[in-house]
Amino acid sequence: MIICHCHAVNDRQIREAVANGVDTIRGLNRELKVGNTCGQCLPQVRRVLESALMQIAEPSPKKVA
């Protein structure tokens, strides 16, 4: 889903940036330019960022063999 229409950034790109170490709105701004133009996307960018960070913080369930 497109999050930043000004720069055509989708949620997958934000999650990928987080997986590669970006952990702040400012970092996403530098990497993907989100929020650089109109700023309308920032609330949604924050939600996707927080969700992605929470997924990283949660341990993966171990498969029981």
Side-chain angles (χ1 to χ4, degrees):
M1 166 173 59
I2 295 291
I3 303 295
C4 176
H5 291 277
C6 295
H7 296 281
V9 176
N10 63 41
D11 59 324
R12 191 175 347 163
Q13 290 170 287
I14 293 171
R15 290 180 188 283
E16 184 176 310
V18 171
N20 289 327
V22 178
D23 60 357
T24 63
I25 295 288
R26 184 171 285 170
L28 290 171
N29 181 279
R30 280 193 300 265
E31 292 290 317
L32 302 173
K33 309 299 184 225
V34 294
N36 265 0
T37 305
C38 76
Q40 291 277 327
C41 63
L42 288 175
Q44 185 67 19
V45 168
R46 187 176 322 281
R47 283 192 287 276
V48 174
L49 172 63
E50 289 172 358
S51 172
L53 289 172
M54 289 297 288
Q55 286 179 337
I56 289 172
E58 292 176 4
S60 300
K62 294 183 179 182
K63 293 184 181 178
V64 178

